[in-house]
C-alpha cells in the first residue's frame, strides 16, 4: 500500500526529501519542518553528506557524542545530566578544532549545536575556512572585519533614514 511505497521512496537518505515534501504539502514553516526532521533522525546521522560519503572522522565524532554517560551513575538529576552533556559537546568540538578535524567539529555542531558561546567564533572561522592554522585571525582579517562593520553601520543608518522618510511621506499624502 501507500506506507510501503512511501518507505521505499523515502528510506535512508530520502528522509530529508520526505520532510521537505511534507512541509511543502502542508505549508509548514521551514523551522517546524527542520525541527521535525531533526527529531526523526538518529543523533549519529551526519546529514551534511550522503550516507556512503560520510568522512570517518565525522562519523566517529558523532558516535562519540551520541550516548555520553554522566560521570556518576547515581546522578539522576536532569539538570546535572544536561550540564554534563553540554560540557561534553563543547569539549568534543574543542578537541576536534585543536586536532584541525573540521569535518568532525562541523558534524557535531551541525547535529547538536555549539553550546559554548565563547567557542562559536573559533568554530565559525574554521567552518568558513578563514582561520589560521592555530585558529587565529590575522591582522589583515581584523582590518577587513573593522571596515565591514563600519560599512554595515553606515548602510543600516542610511536604510533607517530612508524608511523614516518613506513613512513621513506616506503620512503627508
Amino acid at each position: 500500500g501507500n506506507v510501503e511505497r512511501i518507505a521505499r521512496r523515502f528510506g535512508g537518505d530520502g528522509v530529508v526529501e520526505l520532510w521537505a515534501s511534507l512541509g511543502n504539502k502542508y505549508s509548514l514553516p521551514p523551522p517546524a519542518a527542520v525541527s521535525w526532521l531533526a527529531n526523526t533522525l538518529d543523533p549519529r546521522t551526519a546529514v551534511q553528506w550522503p550516507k556512503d560519503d560520510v568522512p570517518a572522522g565525522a562519523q566517529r565524532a558523532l558516535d562519540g557524542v551520541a550516548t555520553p554517560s554522566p560521570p556518576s551513575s547515581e546522578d539522576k538529576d536532569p539538570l546535572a545530566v544536561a550540564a554534563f552533556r553540554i560540557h561534553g559537546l563543547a569539549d568534543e568540538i574543542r578537541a576536534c578544532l585543536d586536532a584541525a578535524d573540521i569535518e568532525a567539529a562541523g558534524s557535531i555542531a551541525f547535529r547538536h549545536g555549539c553550546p559554548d558561546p565563547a567557542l562559536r567564533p573559533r568554530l565559525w572561522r574554521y567552518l568558513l575556512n578563514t582561520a589560521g592554522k592555530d585558529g587565529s585571525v590575522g591582522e589583515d582579517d581584523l582590518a577587513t572585519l573593522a571596515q565591514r562593520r563600519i560599512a554595515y553601520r553606515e548602510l543600516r543608518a542610511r536604510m533607517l533614514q530612508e524608511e523614516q522618510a518613506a513613512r513621513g511621506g506616506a503620512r503627508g499624502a
Side-chain angles (χ1 to χ4, degrees), residues 137-156:
V137 178
E139 290 295 322
D140 293 340
D141 294 332
L142 289 175
T144 301
L145 181 60
Q147 289 173 348
R148 288 183 179 171
R149 285 182 175 154
I150 291 168
Y152 168 76
R153 287 186 194 113
E154 290 171 355
L155 176 63
R156 185 172 183 268

Side-chain angles (χ1 to χ4, degrees), residues 85-98:
R85 177 152 172 72
I86 287 169
H87 290 297
L89 285 172
D91 290 344
E92 284 295 323
I93 292 171
R94 191 174 292 106
C96 291
L97 293 175
D98 290 345

